[in-house]
């Protein structure tokens, strides 16, 4: 079984790169230059196997030169099964009582240091540096999914961790089901009326 591994030479020989670059020192380009970085530096980018088809499907900068020593081509079918963990965060989401985290501009705008001029979609440049606000209020735009209050507090970046909120709907899910209970109450009222028969009252 071949495991994809970093290969600096693979990166250095790709167009627009040179011998001054290493996988470890170039992780800032894992997304924008994914074709080269995820192909040559699967360890540093934490992305694992990348087949030639997957590489070509990426709409980012870089080239898809196969076979290469980082991906060890033919055996990629095996590790690509390992690459499946990416959907895992979704399961965490489902765990929150079927609630799916979603962008909430108001949540962002009401956080300290933000104002009504900001939207989740237009603020993705701060997903990392202001992760407490951005990943908490804009899970869709940041592509980060569920963020619990504990996870939020453990982030060593700018922002605040205001919970519950409509974007994460963590605590609200339980709350939402409780308000639903009062609705049967009127039924009891009608049941009470059911046993009552109208009758004459001369007084």
């Amino acid at each position: 079984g071949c495991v994809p591994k970093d290969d600096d030479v693979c990166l250095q020989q790709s167009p627009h790169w040179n011998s001054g670059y290493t996988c470890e020192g170039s992780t800032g380009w894992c997304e924008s230059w994914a074709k080269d970085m995820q192909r040559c530096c699967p360890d540093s980018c934490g992305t694992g196997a990348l087949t030639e088809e997957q590489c070509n499907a990426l709409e980012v900068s870089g080239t898809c030169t196969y076979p290469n020593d980082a991906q060890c081509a033919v055996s990629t079918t095996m590790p690509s099964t390992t690459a499946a963990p990416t959907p895992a965060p979704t399961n965490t989401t489902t765990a929150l009582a079927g609630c799916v985290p979603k962008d909430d501009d108001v949540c962002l705008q009401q956080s300290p240091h933000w104002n009504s001029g900001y939207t989740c979609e237009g603020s993705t440049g701060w997903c990392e540096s202001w992760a407490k606000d951005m990943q908490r209020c804009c899970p869709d735009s940041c592509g980060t999914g569920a963020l619990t209050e504990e996870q939020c507090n453990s982030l060593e970046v700018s922002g605040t961790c205001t919970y519950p909120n409509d974007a994460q709907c963590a605590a609200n899910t339980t709350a939402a089901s409780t308000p639903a209970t009062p609705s049967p109450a009127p039924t009891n009222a009608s049941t009470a009326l059911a046993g009552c028969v109208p009758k004459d009252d001369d007084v």
Side-chain angles (χ1 to χ4, degrees):
C2 158
V3 178
K5 59 186 184 312
D6 282 359
D7 181 6
D8 291 345
V9 177
C10 163
L11 183 67
Q12 293 160 0
Q13 289 178 346
S14 301
H16 308 293
W17 300 84
N18 61 43
S19 57
Y21 292 97
T22 63
C23 283
E24 207 178 335
S26 306
T27 51
W29 290 289
C30 285
E31 294 303 317
S32 52
W33 283 82
K35 286 183 176 179
D36 294 329
M37 286 297 299
Q38 295 182 20
R39 177 174 58 84
C40 299
C41 308
D43 278 351
S44 290
C45 288
T47 47
L50 182 76
T51 65
E52 190 166 359
E53 293 71 32
Q54 289 169 330
C55 179
N56 285 319
L58 292 168
E59 293 179 3
V60 289
S61 305
T63 51
C64 297
T65 311
Y66 284 81
N68 63 58
D69 290 340
Q71 291 296 338
C72 54
V74 195
S75 341
T76 26
T77 11
M78 205 248 343
S80 64
T81 338
T82 333
T86 351
T90 338
N91 307 2
T92 337
T93 319
T94 330
L96 290 176
C99 161
V100 179
K102 59 188 183 312
D103 284 355
D104 181 18
D105 293 341
V106 178
C107 163
L108 183 67
Q109 293 160 358
Q110 289 178 347
S111 301
H113 308 293
W114 300 84
N115 61 43
S116 57
Y118 290 99
T119 63
C120 284
E121 210 179 350
S123 307
T124 51
W126 290 289
C127 284
E128 293 304 319
S129 51
W130 283 82
K132 286 183 176 179
D133 294 329
M134 286 297 298
Q135 294 183 20
R136 175 174 60 84
C137 299
C138 308
D140 278 353
S141 291
C142 289
T144 47
L147 182 76
T148 65
E149 190 166 1
E150 294 70 31
Q151 289 170 328
C152 180
N153 285 319
S154 66
L155 292 168
E156 295 179 3
V157 288
S158 305
T160 49
C161 296
T162 312
Y163 283 81
N165 64 59
D166 290 342
Q168 292 295 336
C169 57
N172 301 18
T173 10
T174 18
S177 37
T178 340
T181 344
S183 42
T187 337
N188 306 2
S190 42
T191 326
L193 294 173
C196 162
V197 181
K199 57 185 186 306
D200 290 349
D201 181 7
D202 298 337
V203 184

